[in-house]
Amino acid sequence: MKHTYYLGLDQGTTGVTALLTDETLTPVARGYCPVGRQYPAPAWVEHDAEDVLAAVRTAAAAALKEAGIAPGDVAAVGLDHEGESALLFDGNTGRPLSPVVVWQDRRTAAAAEALNTEKGAEIHTVTGLFPDAYFSATKWQWLIEHTENARELARAGRLFAANLDSFLLYRLTGGRAFATDASTASRTLLCDIRTGLWDEGMIGLFGLAGARLPEIRDSAALFERTDPAAFLGISAPVTGLMVDQQAALFGQKCLTPGTVKTTYGTGCFMLMNTGDAPVISNSGLLTTTAWQIGGKRT
């Protein structure tokens, strides 16, 4: 009897874990590959995007080898990722134009603080977030200002602003899909927390007009099939994308309002499911999308 296997990829700040399960979702094999970080200046933290992609392939290959299965036995692929980390890449070639500026990076802290003083209330109302170097928009803004030919590529429609999920999806599918999910979009400072769509006002505020952003889809969706030439011979649909912390909320079965998870990794993260309507805090807490399934956001 031929078995069905699902491949889960956890792209984290310090490494990539690949988990293979069978059709009953019982784990059968695991692979791991560390991911390097560079510190080119105080409070700066970067990845090499090609190194992250290589780590995904290495971890997945290790899991396949441990399980003793062929690439054709993989029925579907899901990916969670480190979230707010941001890069620019060339949409014609898929090649990175910049390093990945990691969520921990603080190079844009002063600019974010100034923006928070000036427009923090407006940004919070639209996005559920406060301006901070943690989130993607200030990172993309900085990268466009400091990446050679970025404006020219934007005018040519080739400047793609990505988190690691949309970059990895693009490369693993041979450039056939440039998309993200609602949980990731909600961590960028560019997404309207009520509509779940990119907000043109926020895009203009951060100077990102002309850069191409990924299409926002459900967290569970048929994104595209992987390209065997790009991904270890695997041709399987990518059917899930999520930010790692929201994925952990789902994985810990916090599926009803009021349930909470706390995870301890590179950082400590506490998330609460607040139901199907945004709850805006007046005490400094952040409101983000947990996931979106069937067009309905939690």
Side-chain angles (χ1 to χ4, degrees):
M1 174 181 170
K2 183 178 176 63
H3 290 280
T4 297
Y5 296 92
Y6 303 111
L7 176 62
L9 300 168
D10 170 35
Q11 185 276 307
T13 311
T14 57
V16 176
T17 299
L19 183 70
L20 271 171
T21 74
D22 63 18
E23 59 266 31
T24 69
L25 301 185
T26 300
V28 296
R30 181 187 298 264
Y32 178 79
C33 184
V35 172
R37 285 175 290 174
Q38 294 78 47
Y39 305 91
W44 291 29
V45 189
E46 297 178 352
H47 296 308
D48 182 307
E50 295 288 354
D51 287 349
V52 176
L53 177 62
V56 168
R57 291 172 174 147
T58 298
L64 291 176
K65 182 177 180 181
E66 181 179 299
I69 67 170
D73 295 327
V74 176
V77 179
L79 170 72
D80 76 78
H81 65 109
E82 65 187 73
E84 301 78 6
S85 301
L87 74 151
L88 303 174
F89 73 91
D90 184 336
N92 277 16
T93 66
R95 295 295 177 186
L97 299 167
S98 74
V100 180
V101 179
V102 175
W103 58 271
Q104 299 162 303
D105 187 282
R106 302 302 297 171
R107 74 187 67 183
T108 61
E113 185 176 346
L115 188 61
N116 193 37
T117 300
E118 182 182 353
K119 292 186 174 291
E122 174 189 345
I123 292 169
H124 186 225
T125 298
V126 173
T127 70
L129 308 175
F130 294 100
D132 192 276
Y134 189 104
F135 303 114
S136 308
T138 63
K139 302 178 191 297
W140 283 323
Q141 184 178 34
W142 188 95
L143 286 169
I144 287 174
E145 292 170 355
H146 293 84
T147 298
E148 186 178 1
N149 298 326
R151 295 294 181 188
E152 291 82 354
L153 287 168
R155 285 191 288 270
R158 292 172 55 181
L159 187 71
F160 284 32
N163 297 111
L164 279 164
D165 65 329
S166 49
F167 169 74
L168 292 170
L169 179 70
Y170 192 87
R171 291 291 295 274
L172 294 176
T173 62
R176 293 196 303 273
F178 183 51
T180 189
D181 90 300
S183 73
T184 304
S186 76
R187 302 293 291 178
T188 61
L189 285 170
L190 302 177
C191 184
D192 187 320
I193 193 66
R194 290 173 178 82
T195 67
L197 302 174
W198 297 124
D199 184 87
E200 292 299 328
M202 293 296 108
I203 290 170
L205 180 64
F206 286 97
L208 301 180
R212 183 172 168 185
L213 295 170
E215 177 189 352
I216 301 173
R217 300 187 190 175
D218 284 356
S219 305
L222 181 58
F223 286 90
E224 182 55 82
R225 296 189 76 87
T226 58
D227 180 351
F231 192 38
L232 308 172
I234 297 171
S235 176
V238 178
T239 54
L241 293 180
M242 288 183 76
V243 173
D244 53 5
Q245 297 308 322
Q246 279 86 326
L249 186 74
F250 192 94
Q252 294 294 334
K253 299 180 71 173
C254 297
L255 305 179
T256 55
T259 49
V260 181
K261 72 87 186 171
T262 304
T263 50
Y264 304 90
T266 310
C268 172
F269 299 90
M270 179 180 287
L271 275 69
M272 174 187 282
N273 183 329
T274 60
D276 59 6
V279 177
I280 301 298
S281 168
N282 294 318
S283 304
L285 298 178
L286 305 177
T287 305
T288 63
T289 298
W291 48 77
Q292 179 175 301
I293 298 174
K296 179 181 177 181
R297 287 184 306 285
T298 296

